[in-house]
Amino acid sequence: MVCVSFAVWIRDVDESGYFDDVDAVDEQGEQALAGFLPEIEESPLAGHLVEAEQTAADKDEFIKVKKWALGGRILTAGVIQQDADLPVMVVVALEESNPA
């Protein structure tokens, strides 16, 4: 499976190694995602995007996520933090759909 992913917003831990307020950082990520979604939804791709349902894995992996089907691929934009001491990021990924 091929997947291309990149971060469009990152909020790193502070100098002490901790977030000042994890909920506030998650909220900042959600606001950044909300600001970025129009870039996708109003892009030339918009006419080809079909909103896709979130999976249980998405709900475990992302703080907030939105997905679209694009031909045989899935476009995902979401807020993620892979570990408690890693940055909160807004990521966008394009990957092949799993065969049925």
Side-chain angles (χ1 to χ4, degrees):
M1 177 161 80
V2 176
C3 178
V4 176
S5 177
F6 56 93
V8 296
W9 179 88
I10 298 175
R11 171 61 166 42
D12 208 347
V13 295
D14 64 21
E15 292 177 7
S16 69
Y18 296 97
F19 291 112
D20 295 329
D21 180 350
V22 175
D23 291 333
V25 175
D26 289 351
E27 186 176 312
Q28 288 174 4
E30 289 180 27
Q31 290 171 356
L33 176 63
F36 184 75
L37 287 177
E39 302 260 348
I40 295 171
E41 294 169 333
E42 296 170 8
S43 74
L45 288 177
H48 303 282
L49 298 174
V50 176
E51 197 162 333
E53 291 197 29
Q54 298 175 20
T55 65
D58 294 330
K59 293 175 184 176
D60 287 340
E61 183 177 0
F62 291 94
I63 297 166
K64 184 146 184 126
V65 65
K66 188 153 184 187
K67 295 173 66 170
W68 302 268
L70 177 63
R73 296 174 180 85
I74 297 293
L75 178 63
T76 304
V79 181
I80 192 168
Q81 183 181 19
Q82 295 171 331
D83 195 1
D85 60 348
L86 292 176
V88 172
M89 299 181 289
V90 173
V91 296
V92 177
L94 182 63
E95 60 189 313
E96 293 176 356
S97 297
N98 291 333

